[in-house]
Amino acid sequence: MSLKHLHRKLRNTDLPSEEFDPISAFESFESPVISNIIPPDRYTEPKEDYSDIITKVEAKKPQLASALKKLNLYQQQAVFSEDQKLLLSAMVGSGKTTVLTHKVLYLHFIKGIPLSQMAVLTFTNKAAREIKERILSFYENSTPPNSDELRYFGTFHSVARQLIKEHPKLQELGFTPDFSIMDQEAKEDFLQRLIVSHELDVKYRNKLDKRLKLYRNEKQIIYGNMKNPDDLVQLLNISRKEKQANNLMDFDDLISVINWQLKLKKTFIPEWIVVDEFQDCNQEQIELIQNLSDDRSHFFAVGDPNQSIYAWRGSTNVIFQNYIEDQSFVIMRLPLNYRTSGQLLNAASCLLQQDNDALQATRDQGKKLIIRNHFDDHQEAYYYVQKFKEVHQHGTPRTEIAVLFRTRQQIAIFESIFQLEGIPCEVVSKTKLREQAALFWLQNILLSGLHPNDMDSILRVFTSTDFGCLKAGKRLLSTFSKFIEGKEFASKLEAFSCFLSEKYKKHAEYIDLCQRLMGLADYLRSRKRDVNLYQYLSLDFFLKPTSINYKDDVADIKNALNELDHYTLKNYFGDWLEIYRAAMSQVSLEGHFQINSGIQTETKGVSLLTIHAAKGLEFDHVYLSGANSGIIPLERKKAGYDHLKEEKRLLFVALTRAKNHMEISWHTKSSAWNAQDGPSYFLNSIPSALLEKVDTAPTKDSELETTPKVELNDDSKWKVGTKVKHPKYGTGEIKSCNEQDVVCDFGKFGEKSFASAWAPLVKI
């Protein structure tokens, strides 16, 4: 496939018109949602039976054959396919991870492809870990593969890091294989420090990452209300030199650097490239796939265009469409959903523009989708308090209950009320290391010792609010810069040690810590397996035994150091310093110290999370809160069709998290700043026969009398000739109505069609 052609199409995608009207675009019951329908004739249908292949597998690997027998025909077809280029359209809940894993096992055990000749690329460490663990479980009593054989199994970033370290052209870019990795927050600190220390004039510093991406992709310097360029380009030049001097890379660098390297020289061309969640790829990741390929490479990608919800990361639904149009690709599908009950799945399917067989239920019909009107979020939260108590009493574990939100800002009030009323709950989100003071400090201590030119980590160690001795700020940077001016030091850490010794003599313990960090490399090399970093670094003093958090901090740090020890012993390759550096790179990539397999996350009760965070999860009972228009879809200025398509896919993802019970709520009086009256107009796509409509808003509340309200309407409410008012089109008259829709004439705006159940109309 010509991925260069794909790049051109991605870059030439039409921009939204300033006159784009979201209500006009999506109010109609038949409004199109996804433009890239897979034509039925592009699917390669499965055979009626694959027993002959399974029999051959059984002779070689009985355990694998037993697992393959449990797959349906669509899944078996994808696993057994020997097509060189295969795109698998895996509908939600269809077992895509199972298929991907069995594909790898089939290629390895039956076709004899070494695991080291496969690149298996994922988007989350959780997915990568799950795939590895499933593979290892099939080795029974035989010797499992070591980490070296699986070194190209992981996220795009972790595989890129591995390839960069192995590439002979790395030093031409000014880096060495022991480079350190900055996460997004560390990158922001790094850039802000450069702006201050070099006295640069950079506008919109709170949106710096967005500005850098615009410059990198479109060479755009002017931003917002700026009339003249600022020092953005100078910042980029300085940061590039600083990264090279300090042997640092950020996440974006990992992909761009390996693409640069592979264009110069392809050092690794896997026999098979396997990609999970293919719909989430961005341009640079597609380019990486291309750079890993040649005419002999096999390509197997699994994805679902209906779950493409990460445009803000650079992914685009156009990718799937271009692969579908490429006739050299075989297109297969997984249409059978094993998760969601029939009626809920039918309701979710109405949000898609697909052929009738695109998503097929395998479970019983179950309950209808419930749409419930609450007066506001307070009333909704207290409704959940009673509801969850009842559900739990009837046998549903609290961990099988989730409340979804479009934005994080909506969560706080529910968390507060649940805690007040004794409902165990947990806000599910990626906890950042910097939100865990002791672990974040430990991370920076180790980075400072392992990478002695990492100035930002050094500063964070000694300016930590909880554990440091200095005050961060421009004054400290200025004093340090003047101190080192005209002097030569072996590293930034040595320079800072001398700085402390001369300027801050009273902090003897911190001067000693600096000396110990300077000796960390020699300590690791000399001690080998007998490593006790807690004792070597004298961490007990800095954790302040008199502190109220002392016991928790000590426990957290010792657990983290145990994780590092476990990782280094498991992956040891001959150099203890290098393996500890590799371990800390993994911590940066994953965002936590639990870098070994089998991470178990214990939920405390009901899950509160955004729809984005819920992707890939499933619950027995799911409640989507505050789904007013303006929230779903989230209103954004100058957002066009692509934004609304993604917002509707986001609603589809929300509905398909539920196994048996799904409720969507909307508020008569929403506290969200951009919420509009009435439920999301996306719900117009769902026929009333699939819905159960409930109104629990308190009609006696005096505020209802003065608050415009778009009510949840019964089908019998609409009659031909009734005068109605619409928030956009004004006064109109009903011309026809039935159980499904109502047609109104709005004079100069013409006739408009709405779903009867959700027509945003008020009788005059």
Side-chain angles (χ1 to χ4, degrees):
M1 177 181 182
S2 174
L3 292 173
K4 292 181 180 178
H5 174 66
L6 172 60
H7 292 164
R8 287 196 297 271
K9 294 195 74 171
L10 290 175
R11 293 191 180 104
N12 294 332
T13 302
D14 292 337
L15 296 175
S17 168
E18 290 188 4
E19 297 182 0
F20 174 78
D21 181 1
I23 296 182
S24 299
F26 280 92
E27 223 160 29
S28 171
F29 186 84
E30 289 82 13
S31 297
V33 179
I34 297 178
S35 60
N36 60 322
I37 307 172
I38 302 177
D41 60 354
R42 283 293 281 126
Y43 287 126
T44 300
E45 294 298 325
K47 296 193 305 183
E48 293 183 2
D49 185 28
Y50 290 95
S51 57
D52 53 335
I53 300 178
I54 294 177
T55 300
K56 294 178 182 178
V57 174
E58 196 162 20
K60 288 188 176 182
K61 192 71 176 176
Q63 183 188 7
L64 179 58
S66 177
L68 292 171
K69 289 177 183 178
K70 299 176 183 178
L71 304 183
N72 63 46
L73 290 178
Y74 293 99
Q75 294 171 329
Q76 291 175 350
Q77 177 196 26
V79 171
F80 300 141
S81 168
E82 296 185 12
D83 295 293
Q84 186 175 7
K85 299 176 181 179
L86 173 59
L87 177 60
L88 183 62
S89 178
M91 298 302 287
V92 62
S94 59
K96 68 175 182 61
T97 304
T98 298
V99 171
L100 189 150
T101 305
H102 284 75
K103 180 75 175 182
V104 172
L105 291 167
Y106 178 75
L107 290 172
H108 178 57
F109 286 117
I110 309 305
K111 293 300 179 179
I113 308 297
L115 294 175
S116 60
Q117 282 299 311
M118 299 183 202
V120 179
L121 304 169
T122 69
F123 279 88
T124 66
N125 290 290
K126 177 184 175 183
R129 185 174 285 111
E130 182 179 355
I131 291 168
K132 288 180 184 178
E133 289 179 349
R134 290 194 189 186
I135 291 171
L136 293 174
S137 69
F138 276 84
Y139 275 81
E140 302 171 289
N141 297 323
S142 58
T143 303
N146 57 37
S147 57
D148 187 60
E149 293 178 82
L150 296 172
R151 67 187 185 277
Y152 304 123
F153 283 55
T155 63
F156 275 88
H157 290 108
S158 64
V159 172
R161 179 196 65 180
Q162 183 65 39
L163 292 168
I164 289 171
K165 289 166 66 74
E166 298 173 358
H167 202 282
K169 299 287 186 180
L170 177 59
Q171 293 191 0
E172 293 184 16
L173 279 176
F175 298 96
T176 60
D178 61 345
F179 61 87
S180 178
I181 299 173
M182 297 185 288
D183 60 22
Q184 184 60 34
E185 289 76 19
K187 175 185 175 182
E188 292 172 5
D189 290 346
F190 169 77
L191 293 173
Q192 297 296 345
R193 175 175 64 83
L194 294 181
I195 292 172
V196 172
S197 60
H198 289 79
E199 298 182 346
L200 300 177
D201 177 23
V202 177
K203 309 295 185 185
Y204 295 97
R205 286 168 58 173
N206 60 331
K207 296 183 179 180
L208 190 54
D209 190 57
K210 183 175 182 179
R211 290 198 61 196
L212 292 174
K213 287 179 179 178
L214 285 172
Y215 180 78
R216 185 172 64 248
N217 297 330
E218 305 171 19
K219 300 302 178 186
Q220 177 180 326
I221 299 177
I222 303 296
Y223 182 82
N225 295 322
M226 291 172 56
K227 296 181 179 179
N228 298 303
D230 58 3
D231 294 336
L232 184 69
V233 176
Q234 292 93 312
L235 174 62
L236 281 172
N237 293 332
I238 293 170
S239 67
R240 182 175 64 252
K241 293 177 182 177
E242 186 87 0
K243 287 176 184 177
Q244 292 170 334
N246 297 338
N247 209 25
L248 289 168
M249 291 190 198
D250 59 44
F251 284 0
D252 291 334
D253 294 331
L254 292 173
I255 305 297
S256 59
V257 167
I258 189 56
N259 280 331
W260 180 86
Q261 290 177 320
L262 293 175
K263 285 176 182 177
L264 287 180
K265 182 178 181 179
K266 291 191 177 185
T267 54
F268 174 60
I269 301 176
E271 292 186 44
W272 279 85
I273 300 173
V274 180
V275 183
D276 187 25
E277 301 287 8
F278 184 63
Q279 76 280 351
D280 292 335
C281 285
N282 60 29
Q283 294 183 44
E284 288 193 324
Q285 289 157 345
I286 290 291
E287 188 178 349
L288 173 56
I289 294 169
Q290 179 191 27
N291 290 329
L292 285 172
S293 311
D294 64 9
D295 294 338
R296 298 163 295 172
S297 300
H298 288 74
F299 181 70
F300 179 80
V302 183
D304 180 5
N306 299 309
Q307 296 189 72
S308 178
I309 58 174
Y310 293 108
W312 47 277
R313 292 182 184 172
S315 61
T316 168
N317 228 24
V318 177
I319 288 176
F320 241 89
Q321 183 66 23
N322 282 273
Y323 274 76
I324 292 164
E325 293 173 357
D326 187 330
Q327 296 300 316
S328 68
F329 262 76
V330 173
I331 310 294
M332 295 181 184
R333 59 175 174 162
L334 299 180
L336 304 180
N337 177 284
Y338 292 96
R339 176 190 299 157
T340 306
S341 57
Q343 290 200 87
L344 294 181
L345 194 63
N346 289 337
S349 299
C350 294
L351 298 170
L352 310 178
Q353 188 186 2
Q354 294 278 3
D355 57 275
N356 293 331
D357 296 327
L359 184 56
Q360 301 170 23
T362 61
R363 295 187 51 209
D364 56 76
Q365 285 296 92
K367 301 176 182 178
K368 293 183 178 182
L369 170 63
I370 297 175
I371 311 296
R372 191 178 296 272
N373 173 212
H374 296 282
F375 177 65
D376 57 17
D377 44 12
H378 282 80
Q379 186 202 29
E380 182 183 8
Y382 279 105
Y383 160 75
Y384 289 149
V385 168
Q386 297 303 317
K387 182 70 175 179
F388 295 166
K389 287 179 180 178
E390 294 173 8
V391 170
H392 183 59
Q393 288 172 357
H394 284 83
T396 301
R398 292 191 180 94
T399 53
E400 282 293 325
I401 304 172
V403 186
L404 308 186
F405 305 86
R406 177 60 185 88
T407 66
R408 285 182 60 88
Q409 290 76 15
Q410 296 171 272
I411 299 178
I413 190 169
F414 290 82
E415 183 183 17
S416 298
I417 291 176
F418 286 1
Q419 291 175 349
L420 182 66
E421 295 295 326
I423 300 293
C425 67
E426 181 177 13
V427 177
V428 179
S429 62
K430 183 179 179 181
T431 303
K432 299 176 182 177
L433 266 176
R434 64 179 55 216
E435 295 173 2
Q436 301 168 281
L439 292 180
F440 183 57
W441 188 66
L442 174 66
Q443 179 191 28
N444 286 288
I445 282 180
L446 297 177
L447 288 175
S448 299
L450 296 170
H451 303 279
N453 282 318
D454 186 349
M455 191 64 210
D456 291 287
S457 292
I458 295 169
L459 286 172
R460 283 192 287 266
V461 169
F462 296 96
T463 62
S464 167
T465 304
D466 298 279
F467 309 107
C469 61
L470 305 178
K471 184 177 180 180
K474 186 175 181 179
R475 182 178 178 182
L476 176 63
L477 291 176
S478 176
T479 306
F480 178 66
S481 296
K482 290 178 181 178
F483 174 80
I484 63 174
E485 189 174 347
K487 300 176 184 177
E488 291 188 7
F489 298 97
S491 67
K492 296 286 179 64
L493 183 58
E494 181 184 335
F496 202 82
S497 177
C498 294
F499 174 67
L500 280 180
S501 300
E502 184 170 323
K503 301 290 185 180
Y504 297 93
K505 295 179 181 179
K506 64 178 181 179
H507 297 302
E509 294 82 3
Y510 289 91
I511 295 172
D512 182 60
L513 174 62
C514 216
Q515 293 294 324
R516 289 177 180 271
L517 290 175
M518 289 171 61
L520 181 61
D522 291 335
Y523 171 78
L524 291 174
R525 287 193 177 106
S526 63
R527 301 289 289 184
K528 296 185 178 179
R529 295 191 177 207
D530 186 20
V531 173
N532 188 335
L533 289 175
Y534 190 90
Q535 183 178 355
Y536 171 75
L537 295 169
S538 300
L539 296 182
D540 230 21
F541 170 82
F542 304 101
L543 295 178
K544 301 174 184 176
T546 58
S547 167
I548 192 173
N549 298 318
Y550 173 71
K551 289 184 178 180
D552 291 337
D553 290 342
V554 170
D556 288 344
I557 283 184
K558 287 188 174 181
N559 287 336
L561 292 175
N562 287 336
E563 284 283 330
L564 290 178
D565 290 342
H566 182 57
Y567 183 92
T568 53
L569 289 171
K570 183 176 65 174
N571 297 284
Y572 176 67
F573 49 72
D575 187 323
W576 285 100
L577 175 61
E578 287 306 308
I579 191 58
Y580 265 91
R581 283 174 173 163
M584 289 308 299
S585 290
Q586 195 64 28
V587 169
S588 296
L589 286 170
E590 299 205 23
H592 52 71
F593 275 93
Q594 294 174 291
I595 54 177
N596 298 293
S597 60
I599 289 180
Q600 299 295 324
T601 54
E602 296 182 5
T603 54
K604 300 175 182 177
V606 176
S607 296
L608 308 178
L609 65 171
T610 64
I611 303 174
H612 282 98
K615 185 172 180 288
L617 303 178
E618 60 181 44
F619 303 90
D620 192 72
H621 282 59
V622 177
Y623 302 80
L624 176 58
S625 174
N628 288 53
S629 291
I631 302 298
I632 297 179
L634 194 63
E635 184 175 344
R636 287 178 176 163
K637 292 182 179 179
K638 298 184 180 180
Y641 287 99
D642 288 341
H643 166 69
L644 290 181
K645 290 175 185 177
E646 178 163 315
E647 287 287 308
K648 203 160 191 179
R649 293 194 295 270
L650 197 61
L651 180 58
F652 171 78
V653 168
L655 265 61
T656 52
R657 299 310 94 197
K659 290 185 281 189
N660 294 307
H661 182 94
M662 180 77 205
E663 284 191 25
I664 298 178
S665 76
W666 61 281
H667 300 151
T668 300
K669 187 172 183 178
S670 176
S671 60
W673 66 272
N674 55 343
Q676 301 170 9
D677 291 338
S680 169
Y681 51 80
F682 283 168
L683 298 172
N684 291 354
S685 302
I686 305 175
S688 58
L690 296 173
L691 305 174
E692 178 182 340
K693 297 158 286 184
V694 183
D695 188 346
T696 57
T699 55
K700 64 181 181 179
D701 196 305
S702 60
E703 291 190 68
L704 285 176
E705 299 176 4
T706 58
T707 304
K709 179 179 178 182
V710 180
E711 297 181 353
L712 194 63
N713 301 301
D714 295 327
D715 297 340
S716 60
K717 180 175 182 177
W718 307 118
K719 296 181 180 179
V720 175
T722 301
K723 298 289 184 180
V724 294
K725 188 172 183 178
H726 185 276
K728 175 178 175 61
Y729 304 120
T731 302
E733 181 180 336
I734 296 178
K735 292 298 183 182
S736 65
C737 57
N738 55 41
E739 194 173 310
Q740 296 298 325
D741 55 17
V742 54
V743 178
C744 301
D745 184 2
F746 292 99
K748 65 178 182 179
F749 292 105
E751 291 188 350
K752 302 291 180 181
S753 177
F754 310 95
S756 295
W758 301 111
L761 305 172
V762 178
K763 288 182 181 179
I764 298 177

